[in-house]
Amino acid sequence: MPETSPLLARLLGLAAVTVLVLAVLLVRPGLLPGGRAGGLIAESVAGGGVVAPSPPVRTRVDERTYAVTGARADEILASMDAAAPRTDGETFFGLTITQLSFRYVHRAEADSCRLRNVQVTLDVSVALPAWTPAPDAPYALRRDWARFDGSLRRHEDRHRVLAEGGAERVRAELDGLAGPTCAEADAEARRRAERLRIETDAAHRRYDDETGHGRTQGAVWPLR
C-alpha cells in the first residue's frame, strides 16, 4: 500500500450505522456511547379497533447511492471524501439509517388490558458509493473497486440484519403484554422497547468495534 496520507488515515475503511430507533430517537453506535432517550416511542391504536392485515414485522429498504468519479485510486478516494455521508463531522463510505415504529390494539379483559396485533415496521435507508469506470479504466482498478464495493455492502447489510433482529424482539415482547390498565400496559411497552433499543444499539456498536467499521471485512479504499 502506498504511503498513507492524513486523508487516507482518516477515511480508510470507514463504514457506519446510524440508528433512528422507535421513530424518535437518534443514536449512532460507536459515536454516542450509551445513546440518549427522548420523546414518545410508540403509536398505539386504542379501543379494540381492527388493524389491516400485514406481516407482524415488515422491513422496507431504500438504497441510495452517491456518485464517485476518478481514474486513479487516489482520485476515487478524494471524490468519496467530497460526496460521502457525514455525521458528527466524520465521513463514512457507507451509512445505514434505520427507523422502527410499531402499533397495536388494546384488548380489555376482566381485570387487565392486553396488547394484541402488534405490528412493527422497520425502514432501512442505506447510502453507498457508486463509481462508473471509464471504458479504458485499468483492470486492477475495476477489480479492486468490485472487492471494496462488495465488502462495504456486506458490512452495511449486517447492520440491517441486526436491526431486523431488534424489530422481531420488540414484536415478541410486546405481543400479549398485559397490565392492570391500558395506560400501565403502554408504559410497560415503552420500558421494554427502550431496553431493547439499548441492547440493539450495543449489538451495532460491538459489530463496528469488532470489524473496525468494516476494515477487517475489506471495506478499505484503496485496497491494501
Side-chain angles (χ1 to χ4, degrees), residues 29-30 198-212:
I198 292 171
E199 292 175 3
T200 301
D201 288 351
H204 283 293
R205 288 194 296 272
R206 284 195 301 273
Y207 175 57
D208 274 331
D209 289 345
E210 291 167 359
T211 66

Side-chain angles (χ1 to χ4, degrees), residues 98-175:
T98 70
Q99 177 173 303
L100 182 151
S101 60
F102 57 86
R103 57 190 291 122
Y104 50 76
V105 299
H106 292 134
R107 178 172 295 173
E109 299 180 348
D111 56 356
S112 65
C113 179
R114 190 172 299 274
L115 308 186
R116 292 295 191 190
N117 299 334
V118 177
Q119 296 179 2
V120 179
T121 299
L122 179 67
D123 288 296
V124 181
S125 177
V126 185
L128 292 165
W131 175 60
T132 302
D136 59 348
Y139 166 77
L141 189 62
R142 294 170 182 261
R143 177 202 61 207
D144 287 354
W145 179 265
R147 291 175 179 172
F148 162 74
D149 182 66
S151 297
L152 183 59
R153 286 175 178 274
R154 284 189 293 274
H155 177 83
E156 297 302 327
D157 193 57
R158 178 59 183 168
H159 281 300
R160 174 191 59 79
V161 171
L162 290 172
E164 287 179 330
E168 175 54 37
R169 292 182 65 194
V170 169
R171 184 210 62 79
E173 289 223 13
L174 269 56
D175 194 27

